Amino acid sequence: MRGQDLLHPRPEGLYCPPGDFFIDPVRPVARALITHGHADHARPGNTAVLATQQTLDIMAIRYGATFAQSSQAAEWGKPISFGDCTVTFHPAGHVLGSAQIAVECGGLRIVASGDYKRRHDPSCQAFELVPCDIFITEATFGLPVFRHPDSKAEVAKLLRSVSQFPDRTHMVGAYALGKAQRVIKELRDAGYDRPIFIHGALQKLCDYYQTQGIDLGELKPATLEKGAKTDFAGAIVVGTPSSFADRWARRFADPVAAFASGWMQVRQRARQRGVELPLIISDHCDWDELCDTIDEVGAGEIWVTHGREEALVRYCELKQLRAQPLHLVGYEDESE
Amino acid sequence: MRAFAELLDRLVLTPSRNRKLQLMVDYFRAAPDPDRGLALAALIGDLDFPAVKPALLRALMSERMDPVLFGYSYDYVGDLAETISLVWPTGDDGAGTELRLADVAARLMAVSRSDAGKVLTDLLDHSAASERFAILKLVTGTLRIGVSARLAKQALADFGSKPVNEIEELWHGLHAPYADLFAWLEGTADKPVPQAQALFRPVMLSTPMGDTDHTKLEPSDYAAEWKWDGIRVQVVANNGTYRMYSRTGDDISGSFPDLMQAVTFDGVIDGELLVGDPQGRTATFSDLQQRLNRKSVSPKVQAEFPVFVRVYDILQRGEEDLRGLTFVERRKHLKAFVSTLDPARFDVSRFVSFDSWAQLDEMRKHPPHPIIEGVMVKRWDSTYVPGRPKGPWFKWKRDPYTVDAVLMYAQRGHGKRSSFYSDYTFGVWSGPEDAPELVPVGKAYFGFTDEELKQIDKFVRDNTIDRFGPVRSVRADRTTGLVFEVAFEGLNRSTRHKSGVAMRFPRINRLRWDKPTAEADRIETLQSMLDA
Ligand SMILES: [Zn+2]
Ligand SMILES: [Zn+2]
């Protein structure tokens, strides 16, 4: 069996003919396997959904209980059969519940890794290396310039700024699923025990993480009474990046705009967004980790998708590995 | 190095002046000597590592990385130093012992051109990305962090709770790493006593007269004098040491042995250096250029282009500091003082008497001599205050349509000029006073002699910091760069240009090799012309 007979792109998403399912479809399909709960991977309206329990829970929080007609929870490492092929879910280390999906048929194994990272993250399961014949890798940060520093150092930078500017509100922009909880958890692990204020859009997902045993400490809603600017002086407020463009954000005391993202590696990106304190904290692999994973996974062929394919394809060429960009539509390049 | 790197990163992204000050003050408080003094020198552009050139950086990269991957990276980041800081392959990434700024600076300063690659490699191998960025920005001399020398001095003043002018006053007697300055500011030592003789005194500068500024002013409060088109100098003579400085404090005595021979007094005077004879003819600026930037001056050149100083102020007479006196008092001293000097080398700038602004405006537009570029307007009661205070002194230029702009990009010309960089994009300063940035305001080619064209071409090649196709980005910051006097026939509002203005028929009037980039015009000057 050739790789493209087992998995290939269709307008709806990555399709598996022998199993008759799609992985992370961008349009509603009869059977969807979902790697993780980010909105560009997990969409509502599919008939049947297979995903980890945590991903299913997250989809229910985001889209309501009716996000699909039926759903099935995949257990880590336990094969499930679809026709002639079997699929297995393995942790991807990206956000809580995120999975790589190994698809096997006729002796050929392809791993669709979804979004993944190799770094330690106290808010989710650690990435598991799954040997395979073809490895599908994301390339969000697939350029040699992206080399994420230790996130502990980034959190320390934030805490230094909080003590240096105790009269200002530190507003940390972080995506609602995964990044926000990770930043909060890393702050707690660094010994920050004051209440952390969160934008309303984060409440439900933070509550959910707490029920899953991720202790985020004391969280309070970042709602301002009129004329109470000084209330948040010296505090850390976490919100979604988009909320910081709202009027809501302009009511805080002389805010320091911080943003937790792998894109913050490049200064011009920080400048364009008006970020004063960039925090290079990413949900994705950096360049070195992408390369290491390609080296370690032992696949003879690499499909590169979801980002800057050309540099990783070039890397594979230099390593004399077969590689090709896999053109999937509908995934956001900018988000993480 | 870590703290310095973080300071740079934060200064770049912090828009507020007060927050920038706080970042610097906190750094000065926490960092040891001599690191903080070297950091200070770096911030104000006073650290120079001539052994490292961009070509060396490219060569180091090509040994280390696939050129295709480097190309993708550079395209994405757009800045050479930053790209290299990010992609530099290194195992420990900042683990292990931290480099100290002092060691980094010492090694880079001492290195020869042939060893520069080895030393730089070793430094980059032992630092993390943001430190690599700081090192590479230091060696390429392109910090661009929006800190002016004045702002850095204000931070020192805040740090030591001293008036900033007291620091200005000391400044030219001090040298990196400024340990004596920091000790005084921290209260652990007395105020440094400058060792050098005949020190430069920080100069008082004027602001441009806006079109309606004078309507709020009372003519009888002000003196007016012609603004001669030479270069501003300060002649200092103390205890047998004689110096002539440019207005930025560069010692230019060596180019003017003829004039220095006539400096027989004890005092400090401020005036315009011109070619000619005070009693007879005053020659053009291009004649004066024959005398500038020369290491040795032949007797022939001295005879052909004699120089003199048209004096307009006196800062010190003998032991007596006159700067606290009013302008009218200082001018009385000046008159008596200059009357004792060689009349072939010194004369006093004459007042222009006027009763109304309209009358002065008329005279300004029709000056009696072609080398006059307008009038200076000074309050009779103004004391001599270093810096550019708003209000006491104005310059009111003859032609409203010239500005001093800084060369930002150069492009190869066409036809017979295709081998030279002869098309220029220039900019003026914008943004907050203390964190200015250049914004392009126009593009023109240069219509002067081939010799001058060659000089600019060389400047462009020596100061290239980036290339995009046929265009080179030229080093242009508060301390380095080339100033053009740009003349134009009018100004339109423009939404297409970032600056908001578009010049009609801009041309490069004159090269101002002598003019510090920091003193090029600001965008507000152009905006006020728009409103006219
Ligand atoms: Zn994701
Ligand atoms: Zn994704």
Side-chain angles (χ1 to χ4, degrees), chain B residues 47-54 57 104 108 120 123 133-142 475:
Chain B
L47 277 190
D48 198 17
F49 305 104
V52 184
K53 296 267 180 267
L57 302 182
V104 172
L108 287 170
L120 190 58
L123 293 174
F133 177 74
I135 291 170
L136 289 163
K137 283 286 168 185
L138 279 179
V139 298
T140 51
T142 52
R475 187 169 167 192

mmCIF file with all atom_site columns, all heavy atoms in Angstrom, chain B residues 47-54 57 104 108 120 123 133-142 475:
data_model
loop_
_atom_site.group_PDB
_atom_site.id
_atom_site.type_symbol
_atom_site.label_atom_id
_atom_site.label_alt_id
_atom_site.label_comp_id
_atom_site.label_asym_id
_atom_site.label_entity_id
_atom_site.label_seq_id
_atom_site.pdbx_PDB_ins_code
_atom_site.Cartn_x
_atom_site.Cartn_y
_atom_site.Cartn_z
_atom_site.occupancy
_atom_site.B_iso_or_equiv
_atom_site.pdbx_formal_charge
_atom_site.auth_seq_id
_atom_site.auth_comp_id
_atom_site.auth_asym_id
_atom_site.auth_atom_id
_atom_site.pdbx_PDB_model_num
ATOM 1   N N   . LEU B 1 47  ? 30.336 53.189 21.786 1.00 0.00 ? 47  LEU B N   1
ATOM 2   C CA  . LEU B 1 47  ? 31.206 52.020 21.728 1.00 0.00 ? 47  LEU B CA  1
ATOM 3   C C   . LEU B 1 47  ? 31.370 51.643 20.263 1.00 0.00 ? 47  LEU B C   1
ATOM 4   O O   . LEU B 1 47  ? 30.397 51.523 19.543 1.00 0.00 ? 47  LEU B O   1
ATOM 5   C CB  . LEU B 1 47  ? 30.576 50.828 22.472 1.00 0.00 ? 47  LEU B CB  1
ATOM 6   C CG  . LEU B 1 47  ? 30.743 50.738 23.985 1.00 0.00 ? 47  LEU B CG  1
ATOM 7   C CD1 . LEU B 1 47  ? 30.255 49.383 24.447 1.00 0.00 ? 47  LEU B CD1 1
ATOM 8   C CD2 . LEU B 1 47  ? 32.172 50.967 24.414 1.00 0.00 ? 47  LEU B CD2 1
ATOM 9   N N   . ASP B 1 48  ? 32.585 51.437 19.868 1.00 0.00 ? 48  ASP B N   1
ATOM 10  C CA  . ASP B 1 48  ? 32.826 51.154 18.462 1.00 0.00 ? 48  ASP B CA  1
ATOM 11  C C   . ASP B 1 48  ? 33.762 49.953 18.365 1.00 0.00 ? 48  ASP B C   1
ATOM 12  O O   . ASP B 1 48  ? 34.772 49.897 19.053 1.00 0.00 ? 48  ASP B O   1
ATOM 13  C CB  . ASP B 1 48  ? 33.481 52.396 17.833 1.00 0.00 ? 48  ASP B CB  1
ATOM 14  C CG  . ASP B 1 48  ? 33.366 52.351 16.323 1.00 0.00 ? 48  ASP B CG  1
ATOM 15  O OD1 . ASP B 1 48  ? 32.536 51.566 15.818 1.00 0.00 ? 48  ASP B OD1 1
ATOM 16  O OD2 . ASP B 1 48  ? 34.115 53.088 15.660 1.00 0.00 ? 48  ASP B OD2 1
ATOM 17  N N   . PHE B 1 49  ? 33.368 48.993 17.540 1.00 0.00 ? 49  PHE B N   1
ATOM 18  C CA  . PHE B 1 49  ? 34.218 47.810 17.358 1.00 0.00 ? 49  PHE B CA  1
ATOM 19  C C   . PHE B 1 49  ? 34.556 47.703 15.882 1.00 0.00 ? 49  PHE B C   1
ATOM 20  O O   . PHE B 1 49  ? 33.885 46.981 15.139 1.00 0.00 ? 49  PHE B O   1
ATOM 21  C CB  . PHE B 1 49  ? 33.493 46.551 17.840 1.00 0.00 ? 49  PHE B CB  1
ATOM 22  C CG  . PHE B 1 49  ? 33.019 46.651 19.259 1.00 0.00 ? 49  PHE B CG  1
ATOM 23  C CD1 . PHE B 1 49  ? 31.689 46.863 19.540 1.00 0.00 ? 49  PHE B CD1 1
ATOM 24  C CD2 . PHE B 1 49  ? 33.916 46.554 20.314 1.00 0.00 ? 49  PHE B CD2 1
ATOM 25  C CE1 . PHE B 1 49  ? 31.248 46.962 20.842 1.00 0.00 ? 49  PHE B CE1 1
ATOM 26  C CE2 . PHE B 1 49  ? 33.493 46.661 21.624 1.00 0.00 ? 49  PHE B CE2 1
ATOM 27  C CZ  . PHE B 1 49  ? 32.152 46.864 21.889 1.00 0.00 ? 49  PHE B CZ  1
ATOM 28  N N   . PRO B 1 50  ? 35.575 48.422 15.460 1.00 0.00 ? 50  PRO B N   1
ATOM 29  C CA  . PRO B 1 50  ? 35.816 48.541 14.019 1.00 0.00 ? 50  PRO B CA  1
ATOM 30  C C   . PRO B 1 50  ? 36.240 47.245 13.339 1.00 0.00 ? 50  PRO B C   1
ATOM 31  O O   . PRO B 1 50  ? 36.160 47.137 12.129 1.00 0.00 ? 50  PRO B O   1
ATOM 32  C CB  . PRO B 1 50  ? 36.936 49.588 13.937 1.00 0.00 ? 50  PRO B CB  1
ATOM 33  C CG  . PRO B 1 50  ? 37.556 49.627 15.291 1.00 0.00 ? 50  PRO B CG  1
ATOM 34  C CD  . PRO B 1 50  ? 36.526 49.199 16.271 1.00 0.00 ? 50  PRO B CD  1
ATOM 35  N N   . ALA B 1 51  ? 36.668 46.240 14.115 1.00 0.00 ? 51  ALA B N   1
ATOM 36  C CA  . ALA B 1 51  ? 37.181 45.034 13.465 1.00 0.00 ? 51  ALA B CA  1
ATOM 37  C C   . ALA B 1 51  ? 36.075 44.167 12.862 1.00 0.00 ? 51  ALA B C   1
ATOM 38  O O   . ALA B 1 51  ? 36.346 43.288 12.056 1.00 0.00 ? 51  ALA B O   1
ATOM 39  C CB  . ALA B 1 51  ? 38.007 44.218 14.458 1.00 0.00 ? 51  ALA B CB  1
ATOM 40  N N   . VAL B 1 52  ? 34.827 44.384 13.262 1.00 0.00 ? 52  VAL B N   1
ATOM 41  C CA  . VAL B 1 52  ? 33.755 43.501 12.794 1.00 0.00 ? 52  VAL B CA  1
ATOM 42  C C   . VAL B 1 52  ? 32.895 44.214 11.749 1.00 0.00 ? 52  VAL B C   1
ATOM 43  O O   . VAL B 1 52  ? 32.395 45.307 11.983 1.00 0.00 ? 52  VAL B O   1
ATOM 44  C CB  . VAL B 1 52  ? 32.866 43.052 13.975 1.00 0.00 ? 52  VAL B CB  1
ATOM 45  C CG1 . VAL B 1 52  ? 31.823 42.070 13.484 1.00 0.00 ? 52  VAL B CG1 1
ATOM 46  C CG2 . VAL B 1 52  ? 33.716 42.424 15.064 1.00 0.00 ? 52  VAL B CG2 1
ATOM 47  N N   . LYS B 1 53  ? 32.760 43.571 10.618 1.00 0.00 ? 53  LYS B N   1
ATOM 48  C CA  . LYS B 1 53  ? 31.956 44.143 9.525  1.00 0.00 ? 53  LYS B CA  1
ATOM 49  C C   . LYS B 1 53  ? 30.862 43.148 9.141  1.00 0.00 ? 53  LYS B C   1
ATOM 50  O O   . LYS B 1 53  ? 31.015 41.946 9.349  1.00 0.00 ? 53  LYS B O   1
ATOM 51  C CB  . LYS B 1 53  ? 32.848 44.388 8.295  1.00 0.00 ? 53  LYS B CB  1
ATOM 52  C CG  . LYS B 1 53  ? 33.944 45.410 8.527  1.00 0.00 ? 53  LYS B CG  1
ATOM 53  C CD  . LYS B 1 53  ? 33.477 46.800 8.111  1.00 0.00 ? 53  LYS B CD  1
ATOM 54  C CE  . LYS B 1 53  ? 34.542 47.855 8.333  1.00 0.00 ? 53  LYS B CE  1
ATOM 55  N NZ  . LYS B 1 53  ? 34.446 48.536 9.617  1.00 0.00 ? 53  LYS B NZ  1
ATOM 56  N N   . PRO B 1 54  ? 29.760 43.649 8.558  1.00 0.00 ? 54  PRO B N   1
ATOM 57  C CA  . PRO B 1 54  ? 28.687 42.724 8.163  1.00 0.00 ? 54  PRO B CA  1
ATOM 58  C C   . PRO B 1 54  ? 29.178 41.569 7.287  1.00 0.00 ? 54  PRO B C   1
ATOM 59  O O   . PRO B 1 54  ? 28.674 40.446 7.394  1.00 0.00 ? 54  PRO B O   1
ATOM 60  C CB  . PRO B 1 54  ? 27.712 43.621 7.404  1.00 0.00 ? 54  PRO B CB  1
ATOM 61  C CG  . PRO B 1 54  ? 27.923 44.976 7.996  1.00 0.00 ? 54  PRO B CG  1
ATOM 62  C CD  . PRO B 1 54  ? 29.379 45.054 8.357  1.00 0.00 ? 54  PRO B CD  1
ATOM 63  N N   . LEU B 1 57  ? 30.118 38.681 9.320  1.00 0.00 ? 57  LEU B N   1
ATOM 64  C CA  . LEU B 1 57  ? 28.969 37.942 9.862  1.00 0.00 ? 57  LEU B CA  1
ATOM 65  C C   . LEU B 1 57  ? 28.419 36.970 8.824  1.00 0.00 ? 57  LEU B C   1
ATOM 66  O O   . LEU B 1 57  ? 28.122 35.813 9.119  1.00 0.00 ? 57  LEU B O   1
ATOM 67  C CB  . LEU B 1 57  ? 27.866 38.906 10.287 1.00 0.00 ? 57  LEU B CB  1
ATOM 68  C CG  . LEU B 1 57  ? 28.248 39.961 11.330 1.00 0.00 ? 57  LEU B CG  1
ATOM 69  C CD1 . LEU B 1 57  ? 27.035 40.806 11.692 1.00 0.00 ? 57  LEU B CD1 1
ATOM 70  C CD2 . LEU B 1 57  ? 28.808 39.293 12.575 1.00 0.00 ? 57  LEU B CD2 1
ATOM 71  N N   . VAL B 1 104 ? 33.086 40.986 27.169 1.00 0.00 ? 104 VAL B N   1
ATOM 72  C CA  . VAL B 1 104 ? 32.721 41.003 25.754 1.00 0.00 ? 104 VAL B CA  1
ATOM 73  C C   . VAL B 1 104 ? 33.307 42.244 25.087 1.00 0.00 ? 104 VAL B C   1
ATOM 74  O O   . VAL B 1 104 ? 33.958 42.165 24.037 1.00 0.00 ? 104 VAL B O   1
ATOM 75  C CB  . VAL B 1 104 ? 31.180 40.987 25.598 1.00 0.00 ? 104 VAL B CB  1
ATOM 76  C CG1 . VAL B 1 104 ? 30.784 41.194 24.142 1.00 0.00 ? 104 VAL B CG1 1
ATOM 77  C CG2 . VAL B 1 104 ? 30.599 39.682 26.123 1.00 0.00 ? 104 VAL B CG2 1
ATOM 78  N N   . LEU B 1 108 ? 36.285 42.354 22.197 1.00 0.00 ? 108 LEU B N   1
ATOM 79  C CA  . LEU B 1 108 ? 35.988 42.873 20.862 1.00 0.00 ? 108 LEU B CA  1
ATOM 80  C C   . LEU B 1 108 ? 36.789 44.126 20.549 1.00 0.00 ? 108 LEU B C   1
ATOM 81  O O   . LEU B 1 108 ? 37.119 44.403 19.403 1.00 0.00 ? 108 LEU B O   1
ATOM 82  C CB  . LEU B 1 108 ? 34.492 43.156 20.747 1.00 0.00 ? 108 LEU B CB  1
ATOM 83  C CG  . LEU B 1 108 ? 33.603 41.920 20.655 1.00 0.00 ? 108 LEU B CG  1
ATOM 84  C CD1 . LEU B 1 108 ? 32.147 42.300 20.802 1.00 0.00 ? 108 LEU B CD1 1
ATOM 85  C CD2 . LEU B 1 108 ? 33.830 41.184 19.331 1.00 0.00 ? 108 LEU B CD2 1
ATOM 86  N N   . LEU B 1 120 ? 34.522 36.484 17.862 1.00 0.00 ? 120 LEU B N   1
ATOM 87  C CA  . LEU B 1 120 ? 33.067 36.636 17.807 1.00 0.00 ? 120 LEU B CA  1
ATOM 88  C C   . LEU B 1 120 ? 32.383 35.275 17.900 1.00 0.00 ? 120 LEU B C   1
ATOM 89  O O   . LEU B 1 120 ? 31.380 35.107 18.603 1.00 0.00 ? 120 LEU B O   1
ATOM 90  C CB  . LEU B 1 120 ? 32.691 37.351 16.507 1.00 0.00 ? 120 LEU B CB  1
ATOM 91  C CG  . LEU B 1 120 ? 31.239 37.801 16.374 1.00 0.00 ? 120 LEU B CG  1
ATOM 92  C CD1 . LEU B 1 120 ? 30.858 38.743 17.499 1.00 0.00 ? 120 LEU B CD1 1
ATOM 93  C CD2 . LEU B 1 120 ? 31.024 38.495 15.033 1.00 0.00 ? 120 LEU B CD2 1
ATOM 94  N N   . LEU B 1 123 ? 32.321 34.122 21.437 1.00 0.00 ? 123 LEU B N   1
ATOM 95  C CA  . LEU B 1 123 ? 31.326 34.850 22.234 1.00 0.00 ? 123 LEU B CA  1
ATOM 96  C C   . LEU B 1 123 ? 29.915 34.357 21.924 1.00 0.00 ? 123 LEU B C   1
ATOM 97  O O   . LEU B 1 123 ? 29.108 34.112 22.819 1.00 0.00 ? 123 LEU B O   1
ATOM 98  C CB  . LEU B 1 123 ? 31.418 36.353 21.959 1.00 0.00 ? 123 LEU B CB  1
ATOM 99  C CG  . LEU B 1 123 ? 32.691 37.047 22.438 1.00 0.00 ? 123 LEU B CG  1
ATOM 100 C CD1 . LEU B 1 123 ? 32.717 38.503 21.974 1.00 0.00 ? 123 LEU B CD1 1
ATOM 101 C CD2 . LEU B 1 123 ? 32.790 36.985 23.970 1.00 0.00 ? 123 LEU B CD2 1
ATOM 102 N N   . PHE B 1 133 ? 21.968 38.631 20.241 1.00 0.00 ? 133 PHE B N   1
ATOM 103 C CA  . PHE B 1 133 ? 21.394 39.797 19.574 1.00 0.00 ? 133 PHE B CA  1
ATOM 104 C C   . PHE B 1 133 ? 22.109 41.067 20.044 1.00 0.00 ? 133 PHE B C   1
ATOM 105 O O   . PHE B 1 133 ? 22.507 41.911 19.240 1.00 0.00 ? 133 PHE B O   1
ATOM 106 C CB  . PHE B 1 133 ? 19.900 39.875 19.882 1.00 0.00 ? 133 PHE B CB  1
ATOM 107 C CG  . PHE B 1 133 ? 19.208 41.079 19.314 1.00 0.00 ? 133 PHE B CG  1
ATOM 108 C CD1 . PHE B 1 133 ? 18.932 41.161 17.964 1.00 0.00 ? 133 PHE B CD1 1
ATOM 109 C CD2 . PHE B 1 133 ? 18.829 42.128 20.134 1.00 0.00 ? 133 PHE B CD2 1
ATOM 110 C CE1 . PHE B 1 133 ? 18.295 42.274 17.432 1.00 0.00 ? 133 PHE B CE1 1
ATOM 111 C CE2 . PHE B 1 133 ? 18.199 43.246 19.615 1.00 0.00 ? 133 PHE B CE2 1
ATOM 112 C CZ  . PHE B 1 133 ? 17.926 43.318 18.261 1.00 0.00 ? 133 PHE B CZ  1
ATOM 113 N N   . ALA B 1 134 ? 22.292 41.176 21.361 1.00 0.00 ? 134 ALA B N   1
ATOM 114 C CA  . ALA B 1 134 ? 22.955 42.365 21.908 1.00 0.00 ? 134 ALA B CA  1
ATOM 115 C C   . ALA B 1 134 ? 24.379 42.478 21.374 1.00 0.00 ? 134 ALA B C   1
ATOM 116 O O   . ALA B 1 134 ? 24.815 43.555 20.943 1.00 0.00 ? 134 ALA B O   1
ATOM 117 C CB  . ALA B 1 134 ? 22.947 42.318 23.435 1.00 0.00 ? 134 ALA B CB  1
ATOM 118 N N   . ILE B 1 135 ? 25.099 41.367 21.360 1.00 0.00 ? 135 ILE B N   1
ATOM 119 C CA  . ILE B 1 135 ? 26.486 41.389 20.876 1.00 0.00 ? 135 ILE B CA  1
ATOM 120 C C   . ILE B 1 135 ? 26.527 41.803 19.401 1.00 0.00 ? 135 ILE B C   1
ATOM 121 O O   . ILE B 1 135 ? 27.303 42.667 18.998 1.00 0.00 ? 135 ILE B O   1
ATOM 122 C CB  . ILE B 1 135 ? 27.147 40.000 21.055 1.00 0.00 ? 135 ILE B CB  1
ATOM 123 C CG1 . ILE B 1 135 ? 27.352 39.710 22.541 1.00 0.00 ? 135 ILE B CG1 1
ATOM 124 C CG2 . ILE B 1 135 ? 28.477 39.921 20.306 1.00 0.00 ? 135 ILE B CG2 1
ATOM 125 C CD1 . ILE B 1 135 ? 27.770 38.271 22.846 1.00 0.00 ? 135 ILE B CD1 1
ATOM 126 N N   . LEU B 1 136 ? 25.645 41.204 18.608 1.00 0.00 ? 136 LEU B N   1
ATOM 127 C CA  . LEU B 1 136 ? 25.668 41.497 17.171 1.00 0.00 ? 136 LEU B CA  1
ATOM 128 C C   . LEU B 1 136 ? 25.237 42.928 16.886 1.00 0.00 ? 136 LEU B C   1
ATOM 129 O O   . LEU B 1 136 ? 25.744 43.574 15.968 1.00 0.00 ? 136 LEU B O   1
ATOM 130 C CB  . LEU B 1 136 ? 24.788 40.495 16.417 1.00 0.00 ? 136 LEU B CB  1
ATOM 131 C CG  . LEU B 1 136 ? 25.392 39.089 16.386 1.00 0.00 ? 136 LEU B CG  1
ATOM 132 C CD1 . LEU B 1 136 ? 24.350 38.050 16.005 1.00 0.00 ? 136 LEU B CD1 1
ATOM 133 C CD2 . LEU B 1 136 ? 26.571 39.031 15.415 1.00 0.00 ? 136 LEU B CD2 1
ATOM 134 N N   . LYS B 1 137 ? 24.307 43.431 17.674 1.00 0.00 ? 137 LYS B N   1
ATOM 135 C CA  . LYS B 1 137 ? 23.904 44.821 17.492 1.00 0.00 ? 137 LYS B CA  1
ATOM 136 C C   . LYS B 1 137 ? 25.036 45.757 17.906 1.00 0.00 ? 137 LYS B C   1
ATOM 137 O O   . LYS B 1 137 ? 25.236 46.801 17.292 1.00 0.00 ? 137 LYS B O   1
ATOM 138 C CB  . LYS B 1 137 ? 22.632 45.105 18.300 1.00 0.00 ? 137 LYS B CB  1
ATOM 139 C CG  . LYS B 1 137 ? 21.382 44.551 17.645 1.00 0.00 ? 137 LYS B CG  1
ATOM 140 C CD  . LYS B 1 137 ? 21.019 45.405 16.442 1.00 0.00 ? 137 LYS B CD  1
ATOM 141 C CE  . LYS B 1 137 ? 19.974 44.776 15.555 1.00 0.00 ? 137 LYS B CE  1
ATOM 142 N NZ  . LYS B 1 137 ? 19.707 45.559 14.338 1.00 0.00 ? 137 LYS B NZ  1
ATOM 143 N N   . LEU B 1 138 ? 25.759 45.380 18.938 1.00 0.00 ? 138 LEU B N   1
ATOM 144 C CA  . LEU B 1 138 ? 26.899 46.204 19.355 1.00 0.00 ? 138 LEU B CA  1
ATOM 145 C C   . LEU B 1 138 ? 27.957 46.249 18.267 1.00 0.00 ? 138 LEU B C   1
ATOM 146 O O   . LEU B 1 138 ? 28.457 47.321 17.917 1.00 0.00 ? 138 LEU B O   1
ATOM 147 C CB  . LEU B 1 138 ? 27.535 45.633 20.627 1.00 0.00 ? 138 LEU B CB  1
ATOM 148 C CG  . LEU B 1 138 ? 26.870 45.953 21.962 1.00 0.00 ? 138 LEU B CG  1
ATOM 149 C CD1 . LEU B 1 138 ? 27.640 45.273 23.089 1.00 0.00 ? 138 LEU B CD1 1
ATOM 150 C CD2 . LEU B 1 138 ? 26.808 47.456 22.194 1.00 0.00 ? 138 LEU B CD2 1
ATOM 151 N N   . VAL B 1 139 ? 28.292 45.080 17.721 1.00 0.00 ? 139 VAL B N   1
ATOM 152 C CA  . VAL B 1 139 ? 29.391 45.074 16.751 1.00 0.00 ? 139 VAL B CA  1
ATOM 153 C C   . VAL B 1 139 ? 28.989 45.680 15.418 1.00 0.00 ? 139 VAL B C   1
ATOM 154 O O   . VAL B 1 139 ? 29.826 46.211 14.698 1.00 0.00 ? 139 VAL B O   1
ATOM 155 C CB  . VAL B 1 139 ? 30.005 43.665 16.529 1.00 0.00 ? 139 VAL B CB  1
ATOM 156 C CG1 . VAL B 1 139 ? 30.611 43.138 17.808 1.00 0.00 ? 139 VAL B CG1 1
ATOM 157 C CG2 . VAL B 1 139 ? 29.004 42.699 15.954 1.00 0.00 ? 139 VAL B CG2 1
ATOM 158 N N   . THR B 1 140 ? 27.701 45.613 15.082 1.00 0.00 ? 140 THR B N   1
ATOM 159 C CA  . THR B 1 140 ? 27.302 46.245 13.825 1.00 0.00 ? 140 THR B CA  1
ATOM 160 C C   . THR B 1 140 ? 26.933 47.708 14.040 1.00 0.00 ? 140 THR B C   1
ATOM 161 O O   . THR B 1 140 ? 26.649 48.416 13.086 1.00 0.00 ? 140 THR B O   1
ATOM 162 C CB  . THR B 1 140 ? 26.113 45.516 13.161 1.00 0.00 ? 140 THR B CB  1
ATOM 163 O OG1 . THR B 1 140 ? 25.071 45.368 14.135 1.00 0.00 ? 140 THR B OG1 1
ATOM 164 C CG2 . THR B 1 140 ? 26.520 44.157 12.656 1.00 0.00 ? 140 THR B CG2 1
ATOM 165 N N   . GLY B 1 141 ? 26.907 48.122 15.289 1.00 0.00 ? 141 GLY B N   1
ATOM 166 C CA  . GLY B 1 141 ? 26.670 49.535 15.581 1.00 0.00 ? 141 GLY B CA  1
ATOM 167 C C   . GLY B 1 141 ? 25.288 50.017 15.220 1.00 0.00 ? 141 GLY B C   1
ATOM 168 O O   . GLY B 1 141 ? 25.087 51.152 14.826 1.00 0.00 ? 141 GLY B O   1
ATOM 169 N N   . THR B 1 142 ? 24.298 49.117 15.330 1.00 0.00 ? 142 THR B N   1
ATOM 170 C CA  . THR B 1 142 ? 22.945 49.502 14.923 1.00 0.00 ? 142 THR B CA  1
ATOM 171 C C   . THR B 1 142 ? 21.951 49.183 16.025 1.00 0.00 ? 142 THR B C   1
ATOM 172 O O   . THR B 1 142 ? 20.982 48.473 15.803 1.00 0.00 ? 142 THR B O   1
ATOM 173 C CB  . THR B 1 142 ? 22.519 48.751 13.652 1.00 0.00 ? 142 THR B CB  1
ATOM 174 O OG1 . THR B 1 142 ? 22.729 47.345 13.896 1.00 0.00 ? 142 THR B OG1 1
ATOM 175 C CG2 . THR B 1 142 ? 23.319 49.177 12.460 1.00 0.00 ? 142 THR B CG2 1
ATOM 176 N N   . ARG B 1 475 ? 23.489 53.032 7.428  1.00 0.00 ? 475 ARG B N   1
ATOM 177 C CA  . ARG B 1 475 ? 23.455 53.307 8.848  1.00 0.00 ? 475 ARG B CA  1
ATOM 178 C C   . ARG B 1 475 ? 23.019 54.755 9.091  1.00 0.00 ? 475 ARG B C   1
ATOM 179 O O   . ARG B 1 475 ? 23.591 55.685 8.549  1.00 0.00 ? 475 ARG B O   1
ATOM 180 C CB  . ARG B 1 475 ? 24.850 53.084 9.440  1.00 0.00 ? 475 ARG B CB  1
ATOM 181 C CG  . ARG B 1 475 ? 24.833 53.184 10.942 1.00 0.00 ? 475 ARG B CG  1
ATOM 182 C CD  . ARG B 1 475 ? 26.135 52.708 11.523 1.00 0.00 ? 475 ARG B CD  1
ATOM 183 N NE  . ARG B 1 475 ? 26.174 53.123 12.921 1.00 0.00 ? 475 ARG B NE  1
ATOM 184 C CZ  . ARG B 1 475 ? 27.246 53.076 13.688 1.00 0.00 ? 475 ARG B CZ  1
ATOM 185 N NH1 . ARG B 1 475 ? 28.365 52.615 13.204 1.00 0.00 ? 475 ARG B NH1 1
ATOM 186 N NH2 . ARG B 1 475 ? 27.186 53.472 14.937 1.00 0.00 ? 475 ARG B NH2 1
#
